[in-house]
Amino acid sequence: MKTNILKKSLLLVFLLFSFISNSFAQDTVTMAIEEIQTLKKEDKFFTTVYGYSEAEDFDSHKWRVVEVVFRDEDSESLLIEAETDKRGMWEVVDVDISSLADGKISIEATMVDDYGDILSTVTSSEIKDTSFSLYEFLKSNIATSIFILMVVLLLLGFPMKIPLIAGTTFGIFLLFDSDFSKMQFMVQQMMAGIRPAALIAVPMFILSADIMTRGHSAEKLIDLVMAFVRHIKGGLAISTAGACTMFGAVSGSTQATVVAVGSPLRPRLKKGGYKDSFILALIVNSSDIAFLIPPSIGMIIYGIVAKTSIPELFIAGIGPGLLILALFSIYSIIYAYRHNIPTEPKASWKERFTALYKALWPLGFPAIIVGGIFGGIFSPTEAAAVSVAYAIFLEGIVFRTMKLKDFYSTAKSTGLVTAVVFILVGAGAGFAWILSYAQVPQEILSSIGISEMGPYGVLAVISIAFFVGCMFVDPIVVILVLVPIFAPVVNAVGLDPVLVGTIITLQVAIGSATPPFGCDIFTAIAVFKRPYLEVIKGTPPFIFILLSVSVALIFFPQIALFLRDIAFR
């Protein structure tokens, strides 16, 4: 009898102890819902809940089951189970709540122990709204939204820097839920975009080109080319293409080449019997060679963004540039025969030597730039500084075409152009960052399956992207935005970044002279004061030649890499 009483007493004590222990555990466990995220994906709503638990007894909330109930106002519910980790953290991810009614959705999370007893409970709520939300629509289609905004601003006549900055600001507005304090990120990225020291070369090359355009250097280069080829059929047109190539080796700017070469040669070409549509197309497209022949401003920007050797890019651009010159010359000869263009008198050797003698000073520019970089005497930035000093010496002392006040006005003009360029560079860097943050490049590249393509396929996609981009947007902006997008793919496939840079530079040059919005077209409209349709009328044959060279570069990369390999390998 005493034994039975003792057993019952022990059992009672055990049950009482268990009850006290469970009560103590329940009292010491607290739960909280930390974050609730509801997203709409393809007309369905998915909710993710993050929570945590705390307790004085650490083991009491470790590896515990959490039952999460989602309930609408019609009492329809969903039950999802989760488990805490060793720190008491728990989550339920992408719960489909599409079956629940619109309105307030209550969320109740309950922690239970191994016996199914409740340890702690916490509640919260979320609003489900299936009505159309413009903000959510724009956020889920961020790339399209930014693109439409930029196109509208461009069509309204805003300069390119405004759509870039507006697109970046709009992207921050959507990505960070209207929190404009995050604008600091855009400012940081813009400042980082203009920080590279190599960018100093850009305003220096612009300044040296501006000095030569105002002086006599361009005319002497034109006279040199004319003295050797003007007597052959199509000689004037060949001289124009050759002069663009030689001036490109001095300036590195397509727009400066249009102004410097086109202004004096257009009247001579018209007098020689060429149609104005052919003349304008020849000048605009021949200026593309200036983007390939060093010193190319486009290659400098690409080299900075892609972290690729600028000297190697400079040398690699010579081969494609000379090939384009040869093909343009052949087309000019064919055009001259078809339209029965008369030839000019052949220059005597005395005239040729005189022209060569007068052009020796301007020819010093490519010798200094290419020879200095090739010989390892100075970097591209230092070469730019030397070219400015040489231009000042040439036009101020040797030719005496410019006085001190002329240099002041030239420097002021260059400062304005440089300011625009650097604003574009900074705005482009900020825009590229917001696209990368929103993972737009990854979505675009995955949608076209570029990760599964071989080298030829990747180069084809890159060529199309840059060509189309520069038909609408400034070349510098296209390089700044698209190069970071394609850089991982280029590295993954194992393509030579110098070859890729040469192809990209050629494509942006072609796009710059291609309708509807190629920037060189509008430069020609402003300089020659001719209507848009007349400027673009004769461009198709030249664009075909340029695109043919692009295809040749893809399948025969040694066109670009042969000289590079000799110089640097």
Side-chain angles (χ1 to χ4, degrees):
M1 185 72 176
K2 290 181 179 181
T3 304
N4 290 335
I5 294 173
L6 181 61
K7 288 181 178 179
K8 290 179 179 180
S9 299
L10 291 172
L11 180 61
L12 181 63
V13 170
F14 176 76
L15 292 173
L16 183 62
F17 178 78
S18 298
F19 174 77
I20 293 172
S21 299
N22 288 337
S23 298
F24 179 76
Q26 183 176 342
D27 290 340
T28 58
V29 177
T30 57
M31 294 180 64
I33 293 177
E34 187 174 26
E35 185 179 359
I36 302 173
Q37 296 178 351
T38 299
L39 298 174
K40 185 179 180 182
K41 301 177 183 177
E42 298 179 355
D43 298 327
K44 290 188 176 183
F45 282 83
F46 296 89
T47 297
T48 298
V49 182
Y50 299 97
Y52 65 90
S53 56
E54 294 179 337
E56 295 178 7
D57 177 13
F58 188 75
D59 289 335
S60 65
H61 72 138
K62 185 170 64 173
W63 313 122
R64 297 296 183 184
V65 173
V66 177
E67 297 176 347
V68 184
V69 178
F70 299 82
R71 184 176 288 107
D72 61 20
E73 294 178 330
D74 297 336
S75 298
E76 294 291 331
S77 62
L78 294 171
L79 172 63
I80 307 294
E81 288 191 353
E83 189 177 72
T84 63
D85 60 17
K86 62 182 180 181
R87 298 173 298 168
M89 309 296 291
W90 57 271
E91 65 182 19
V92 288
V93 180
D94 287 342
V95 179
D96 187 354
I97 61 170
S98 303
S99 61
L100 301 181
D102 277 15
K104 182 179 178 181
I105 306 294
S106 63
I107 301 172
E108 181 181 76
T110 303
M111 180 182 288
V112 296
D113 62 12
D114 296 337
Y115 302 101
D117 296 326
I118 296 175
L119 298 178
S120 184
T121 301
V122 64
T123 60
S124 186
S125 63
E126 177 76 332
I127 300 297
K128 178 190 173 188
D129 185 6
T130 58
S131 61
F132 177 77
S133 170
L134 178 61
Y135 176 80
E136 292 298 330
F137 175 79
L138 294 175
K139 188 172 182 178
S140 60
N141 299 276
I142 185 169
T144 305
S145 304
I146 292 174
F147 177 75
I148 292 174
L149 172 65
M150 294 178 67
V151 169
V152 170
L153 291 174
L154 283 173
L155 293 177
L156 289 175
F158 286 94
M160 190 62 221
K161 57 181 176 290
I162 301 301
L164 274 177
I165 296 173
T168 306
T169 304
F170 189 49
I172 290 174
F173 172 79
L174 295 176
L175 285 174
F176 296 101
D177 297 324
S178 312
D179 184 4
F180 281 105
S181 66
K182 305 300 183 183
M183 287 292 292
Q184 60 179 316
F185 297 141
M186 183 182 78
V187 176
Q188 290 171 357
Q189 293 300 320
M190 290 178 71
M191 295 303 296
I194 62 175
R195 192 172 294 139
L199 275 176
I200 298 173
V202 174
M204 291 185 181
F205 280 127
I206 293 174
L207 178 57
S208 63
D210 204 357
I211 292 172
M212 288 180 291
T213 303
R214 292 170 183 251
H216 286 173
S217 297
E219 294 179 12
K220 296 184 184 303
L221 291 174
I222 292 171
D223 291 340
L224 174 63
V225 179
M226 292 280 289
F228 281 88
V229 298
R230 74 186 186 196
H231 61 283
I232 64 175
K233 204 71 171 176
L236 270 174
I238 296 171
S239 299
T240 303
C244 286
T245 302
M246 297 189 72
F247 192 77
V250 172
S251 68
S253 168
T254 58
Q255 290 165 298
T257 304
V258 170
V259 176
V261 178
S263 298
L265 278 183
R266 179 168 170 258
R268 296 180 68 170
L269 286 163
K270 289 183 69 175
K271 188 177 179 181
Y274 292 90
K275 291 183 179 179
D276 211 19
S277 58
F278 172 84
I279 298 169
L280 295 172
L282 173 67
I283 293 169
V284 169
N285 287 277
S286 294
S287 68
D288 291 345
I289 303 174
F291 226 56
L292 287 167
I293 297 292
S296 165
I297 293 175
M299 285 184 169
I300 294 173
I301 301 296
Y302 171 84
I304 292 169
V305 177
K307 297 179 175 59
T308 304
S309 169
I310 295 174
E312 291 190 28
L313 288 167
F314 278 1
I315 301 301
I318 295 175
L322 295 178
L323 176 60
I324 293 170
L325 172 61
L327 293 176
F328 278 5
S329 299
I330 293 171
Y331 173 64
S332 297
I333 294 171
I334 295 172
Y335 180 91
Y337 274 107
R338 287 185 60 191
H339 294 83
N340 198 26
I341 303 295
T343 58
E344 292 200 1
K346 184 177 181 180
S348 65
W349 281 105
K350 181 180 179 180
E351 290 177 305
R352 291 176 179 177
F353 280 120
T354 302
L356 178 61
Y357 174 77
K358 291 181 178 179
L360 283 177
W361 284 106
L363 288 174
F365 280 100
I368 290 171
I369 295 167
V370 178
I373 295 173
F374 177 81
I377 300 172
F378 36 64
S379 67
T381 305
E382 293 165 342
V386 172
S387 73
V388 173
Y390 189 71
I392 294 172
F393 169 75
L394 208 59
E395 300 297 345
I397 298 176
V398 177
F399 298 147
R400 297 184 181 180
T401 55
M402 297 180 67
K403 298 180 181 179
L404 189 60
K405 64 178 182 179
D406 298 319
F407 286 116
Y408 172 77
S409 61
T410 303
K412 184 179 178 180
S413 172
T414 300
L416 293 173
V417 175
T418 301
V420 173
V421 170
F422 273 63
I423 290 172
L424 285 174
V425 170
F431 185 70
W433 169 78
I434 201 69
L435 290 182
S436 177
Y437 189 89
Q439 295 190 325
V440 172
Q442 291 84 341
E443 293 180 9
I444 294 174
L445 295 179
S446 63
S447 66
I448 62 177
I450 196 170
S451 58
E452 301 173 1
M453 295 180 181
Y456 294 126
V458 171
L459 288 176
V461 171
I462 289 174
S463 298
I464 294 170
F466 280 87
F467 172 67
V468 174
C470 284
M471 290 167 61
F472 299 92
V473 184
D474 187 273
I476 292 176
V477 176
V478 174
I479 292 172
L480 289 166
V481 173
L482 294 186
V483 168
I485 293 176
F486 288 104
V489 181
V490 170
N491 294 332
V493 177
L495 289 168
D496 190 324
V498 173
L499 172 64
V500 175
T502 307
I503 292 174
I504 286 174
T505 305
L506 175 56
Q507 291 300 332
V508 299
I510 301 170
S512 300
T514 304
F517 300 120
C519 61
D520 289 344
I521 295 173
F522 295 97
T523 301
I525 291 172
V527 172
F528 305 125
K529 296 179 174 56
R530 302 308 302 163
Y532 177 84
L533 292 177
E534 187 174 335
V535 173
I536 67 171
K537 184 179 179 181
T539 57
F542 293 99
I543 293 174
F544 175 78
I545 292 171
L546 290 166
L547 291 177
S548 300
V549 175
S550 300
V551 174
L553 272 177
I554 294 175
F555 292 99
F556 304 100
Q558 286 304 309
I559 295 172
L561 301 181
F562 176 73
L563 290 177
R564 190 284 307 265
D565 292 342
I566 292 176
F568 295 97
R569 295 291 186 270

